[in-house]
mmCIF file of all heavy atoms in Angstrom:
data_model
loop_
_atom_site.group_PDB
_atom_site.id
_atom_site.type_symbol
_atom_site.label_atom_id
_atom_site.label_comp_id
_atom_site.label_asym_id
_atom_site.label_seq_id
_atom_site.Cartn_x
_atom_site.Cartn_y
_atom_site.Cartn_z
ATOM 1 N N GLY G 417 37.444 48.022 -24.920
ATOM 2 C CA GLY G 417 36.976 49.382 -25.261
ATOM 3 C C GLY G 417 38.065 50.242 -25.889
ATOM 4 O O GLY G 417 37.785 50.936 -26.844
ATOM 5 N N ILE G 418 39.253 50.173 -25.271
ATOM 6 C CA ILE G 418 40.321 51.063 -25.895
ATOM 7 C C ILE G 418 40.622 50.586 -27.210
ATOM 8 O O ILE G 418 40.884 51.417 -28.205
ATOM 9 C CB ILE G 418 41.547 50.944 -24.915
ATOM 10 C CG1 ILE G 418 41.249 51.433 -23.523
ATOM 11 C CG2 ILE G 418 42.698 51.657 -25.499
ATOM 12 C CD1 ILE G 418 41.711 52.830 -23.378
ATOM 13 N N LEU G 419 40.723 49.288 -27.415
ATOM 14 C CA LEU G 419 41.055 48.735 -28.789
ATOM 15 C C LEU G 419 40.008 49.197 -29.838
ATOM 16 O O LEU G 419 40.382 49.574 -30.920
ATOM 17 C CB LEU G 419 41.199 47.238 -28.766
ATOM 18 C CG LEU G 419 42.483 46.717 -28.124
ATOM 19 C CD1 LEU G 419 42.322 45.263 -27.975
ATOM 20 C CD2 LEU G 419 43.638 47.015 -29.034
ATOM 21 N N CYS G 420 38.774 49.085 -29.439
ATOM 22 C CA CYS G 420 37.698 49.439 -30.363
ATOM 23 C C CYS G 420 37.738 50.941 -30.705
ATOM 24 O O CYS G 420 37.566 51.380 -31.881
ATOM 25 C CB CYS G 420 36.306 49.101 -29.814
ATOM 26 S SG CYS G 420 35.973 47.387 -29.824
ATOM 27 N N PHE G 421 37.879 51.735 -29.691
ATOM 28 C CA PHE G 421 38.090 53.162 -29.826
ATOM 29 C C PHE G 421 39.123 53.511 -30.874
ATOM 30 O O PHE G 421 39.032 54.276 -31.782
ATOM 31 C CB PHE G 421 38.274 53.875 -28.497
ATOM 32 C CG PHE G 421 38.568 55.341 -28.561
ATOM 33 C CD1 PHE G 421 37.562 56.223 -28.869
ATOM 34 C CD2 PHE G 421 39.783 55.860 -28.315
ATOM 35 C CE1 PHE G 421 37.719 57.536 -28.902
ATOM 36 C CE2 PHE G 421 40.092 57.111 -28.362
ATOM 37 C CZ PHE G 421 39.106 57.984 -28.603
ATOM 38 N N TYR G 422 40.262 52.914 -30.583
ATOM 39 C CA TYR G 422 41.378 53.133 -31.490
ATOM 40 C C TYR G 422 41.091 52.624 -32.918
ATOM 41 O O TYR G 422 41.400 53.408 -33.887
ATOM 42 C CB TYR G 422 42.653 52.349 -30.882
ATOM 43 C CG TYR G 422 43.713 52.007 -31.721
ATOM 44 C CD1 TYR G 422 44.567 52.965 -32.227
ATOM 45 C CD2 TYR G 422 43.981 50.670 -32.043
ATOM 46 C CE1 TYR G 422 45.599 52.559 -33.082
ATOM 47 C CE2 TYR G 422 45.058 50.395 -32.844
ATOM 48 C CZ TYR G 422 45.868 51.311 -33.318
ATOM 49 O OH TYR G 422 46.917 50.935 -34.134
ATOM 50 N N TRP G 423 40.448 51.477 -33.004
ATOM 51 C CA TRP G 423 40.166 51.028 -34.332
ATOM 52 C C TRP G 423 39.193 51.884 -35.094
ATOM 53 O O TRP G 423 39.233 52.064 -36.286
ATOM 54 C CB TRP G 423 39.579 49.652 -34.298
ATOM 55 C CG TRP G 423 40.611 48.509 -34.130
ATOM 56 C CD1 TRP G 423 41.910 48.452 -34.436
ATOM 57 C CD2 TRP G 423 40.327 47.302 -33.388
ATOM 58 N NE1 TRP G 423 42.515 47.370 -34.035
ATOM 59 C CE2 TRP G 423 41.583 46.605 -33.393
ATOM 60 C CE3 TRP G 423 39.257 46.668 -32.778
ATOM 61 C CZ2 TRP G 423 41.664 45.374 -32.845
ATOM 62 C CZ3 TRP G 423 39.375 45.479 -32.306
ATOM 63 C CH2 TRP G 423 40.636 44.770 -32.199
ATOM 64 N N LEU G 424 38.173 52.452 -34.377
ATOM 65 C CA LEU G 424 37.213 53.141 -35.058
ATOM 66 C C LEU G 424 37.507 54.646 -35.241
ATOM 67 O O LEU G 424 36.939 55.270 -36.092
ATOM 68 C CB LEU G 424 35.823 53.103 -34.292
ATOM 69 C CG LEU G 424 35.270 51.652 -34.280
ATOM 70 C CD1 LEU G 424 33.927 51.638 -33.606
ATOM 71 C CD2 LEU G 424 35.061 51.108 -35.724
ATOM 72 N N ASN G 425 38.466 55.115 -34.489
ATOM 73 C CA ASN G 425 38.737 56.566 -34.572
ATOM 74 C C ASN G 425 39.961 56.890 -35.399
ATOM 75 O O ASN G 425 39.980 57.877 -36.154
ATOM 76 C CB ASN G 425 38.968 57.185 -33.222
ATOM 77 C CG ASN G 425 37.590 57.663 -32.679
ATOM 78 O OD1 ASN G 425 36.655 57.830 -33.440
ATOM 79 N ND2 ASN G 425 37.543 57.839 -31.424
ATOM 80 N N PHE G 426 40.974 56.048 -35.232
ATOM 81 C CA PHE G 426 42.294 56.437 -35.936
ATOM 82 C C PHE G 426 42.510 55.701 -37.124
ATOM 83 O O PHE G 426 43.017 56.258 -38.122
ATOM 84 C CB PHE G 426 43.464 56.247 -35.036
ATOM 85 C CG PHE G 426 43.399 57.074 -33.815
ATOM 86 C CD1 PHE G 426 43.048 56.651 -32.548
ATOM 87 C CD2 PHE G 426 43.753 58.431 -33.962
ATOM 88 C CE1 PHE G 426 43.082 57.492 -31.535
ATOM 89 C CE2 PHE G 426 43.733 59.225 -32.859
ATOM 90 C CZ PHE G 426 43.330 58.788 -31.597
ATOM 91 N N VAL G 427 42.149 54.445 -37.135
ATOM 92 C CA VAL G 427 42.560 53.634 -38.233
ATOM 93 C C VAL G 427 41.850 53.945 -39.571
ATOM 94 O O VAL G 427 42.518 54.010 -40.652
ATOM 95 C CB VAL G 427 42.225 52.150 -37.963
ATOM 96 C CG1 VAL G 427 42.356 51.263 -39.106
ATOM 97 C CG2 VAL G 427 43.105 51.699 -36.797
ATOM 98 N N PRO G 428 40.544 54.385 -39.607
ATOM 99 C CA PRO G 428 39.983 54.650 -40.875
ATOM 100 C C PRO G 428 40.629 55.779 -41.628
ATOM 101 O O PRO G 428 40.582 55.810 -42.851
ATOM 102 C CB PRO G 428 38.499 55.069 -40.556
ATOM 103 C CG PRO G 428 38.209 54.436 -39.290
ATOM 104 C CD PRO G 428 39.534 54.476 -38.489
ATOM 105 N N ASN G 429 41.256 56.724 -40.930
ATOM 106 C CA ASN G 429 41.817 57.842 -41.675
ATOM 107 C C ASN G 429 43.236 57.568 -42.152
ATOM 108 O O ASN G 429 43.707 58.289 -42.985
ATOM 109 C CB ASN G 429 41.920 59.013 -40.715
ATOM 110 C CG ASN G 429 40.610 59.389 -40.167
ATOM 111 O OD1 ASN G 429 39.539 59.129 -40.784
ATOM 112 N ND2 ASN G 429 40.524 59.822 -38.848
ATOM 113 N N LYS G 430 43.837 56.427 -41.612
ATOM 114 C CA LYS G 430 45.214 56.370 -41.929
ATOM 115 C C LYS G 430 45.627 55.228 -42.861
ATOM 116 O O LYS G 430 46.602 55.166 -43.559
ATOM 117 C CB LYS G 430 46.059 56.154 -40.690
ATOM 118 C CG LYS G 430 46.035 57.304 -39.705
ATOM 119 C CD LYS G 430 47.337 57.506 -39.055
ATOM 120 C CE LYS G 430 47.235 58.690 -38.099
ATOM 121 N NZ LYS G 430 47.865 58.486 -36.839
ATOM 122 N N ILE G 431 44.694 54.268 -42.898
ATOM 123 C CA ILE G 431 44.976 53.134 -43.708
ATOM 124 C C ILE G 431 43.971 52.962 -44.856
ATOM 125 O O ILE G 431 42.781 53.188 -44.607
ATOM 126 C CB ILE G 431 44.968 51.787 -42.836
ATOM 127 C CG1 ILE G 431 46.059 51.971 -41.748
ATOM 128 C CG2 ILE G 431 45.251 50.577 -43.655
ATOM 129 C CD1 ILE G 431 46.350 50.722 -41.051
ATOM 130 N N SER G 432 44.452 52.474 -45.970
ATOM 131 C CA SER G 432 43.536 52.458 -47.120
ATOM 132 C C SER G 432 42.445 51.410 -46.994
ATOM 133 O O SER G 432 41.271 51.742 -47.105
ATOM 134 C CB SER G 432 44.356 52.166 -48.367
ATOM 135 O OG SER G 432 45.168 51.045 -48.271
ATOM 136 N N CYS G 433 42.807 50.143 -46.747
ATOM 137 C CA CYS G 433 41.680 49.139 -46.659
ATOM 138 C C CYS G 433 41.517 48.814 -45.192
ATOM 139 O O CYS G 433 41.937 47.805 -44.703
ATOM 140 C CB CYS G 433 42.103 47.915 -47.443
ATOM 141 S SG CYS G 433 40.712 46.901 -47.888
#
Side-chain angles (χ1 to χ4, degrees):
Chain G
I418 298 266
L419 282 171
C420 290
F421 173 72
Y422 158 69
W423 283 331
L424 295 183
N425 271 340
F426 294 105
V427 172
N429 305 328
K430 298 219 177 135
I431 297 189
S432 52
C433 197

